[in-house]
Amino acid sequence: MRARDLAEPFPAVTTDDAAIDAARLLAERSLPALLVLDADGRPDAVVPGPALIRRLLPAHLAEVPSLAGAFGTELDAELADDLAGLTVADWVPRHRYPPPVVGPDARPLEVATLMASFHSPLVAVIERDGDAVTLLGGVSATRLLRHFLGPRPRP
């Protein structure tokens, strides 16, 4: 088994896409992370969902979560409004989430160690042809666990 066999199609956004559309993609598809590609289609960042939610919060709430109980639900709708007009590049803290990538021939254990060292729920699988990079898909933590655990034994 190789990374190409574990990779599944994974939706991606570009740094130029609207942040609100990226957030909706994450929410509607129940994705564990946002896979961000640069203008050339190369993985630029893999940002876990909780990190994106943190970027939605006002700084004082992100730093002192106990303050959240003092607010009513009126702030809920305002959080999404803050994404209006932003691009993914504006919203995503890419410098903190470099993309973990492997080639198609990487073994599952290589994918697992990269996932663990990057604290990422997703590893992008890419193929290089000279300077060109093609995204083959992503290996999620759940896909990797299914591989390692194998089929459930029958009673």
Side-chain angles (χ1 to χ4, degrees):
M1 180 76 59
R2 300 293 180 159
R4 77 168 62 78
D5 305 314
L6 292 170
E8 299 172 310
F10 198 89
V13 298
T14 69
T15 53
D16 294 331
D17 287 339
I20 191 73
D21 294 339
R24 284 196 175 106
L25 175 70
L26 189 78
E28 291 169 0
R29 302 280 300 270
S30 298
L31 301 175
L34 194 61
L35 175 57
V36 182
L37 306 178
D38 66 15
D40 295 324
R42 299 171 193 250
D44 190 56
V46 173
V47 188
L52 296 170
I53 289 172
R54 181 179 175 90
R55 295 279 297 182
L56 283 176
L57 297 174
H60 62 281
L61 289 180
E63 293 169 9
V64 186
S66 61
L67 292 177
F71 291 87
T73 57
E74 66 278 353
L75 186 59
D76 293 0
E78 292 176 25
L79 295 180
D81 292 343
D82 290 343
L83 291 176
L86 296 179
T87 66
V88 169
D90 298 328
W91 179 42
V92 171
R94 294 184 330 268
H95 64 281
R96 294 188 56 213
Y97 299 96
V101 296
V102 296
D105 293 324
R107 295 185 183 278
L109 195 55
E110 293 174 85
V111 176
T113 56
L114 188 64
M115 186 177 285
S117 67
F118 275 73
H119 302 282
S120 177
L122 178 73
V123 172
V125 180
I126 61 169
E127 189 159 48
R128 295 182 191 276
D129 184 12
D131 288 340
V133 171
T134 302
L135 177 67
L136 300 179
V139 180
S140 66
T142 54
R143 174 67 180 104
L144 200 54
L145 282 170
R146 283 195 314 263
H147 166 74
F148 288 136
L149 297 174
R152 177 176 236 157
R154 292 194 167 161

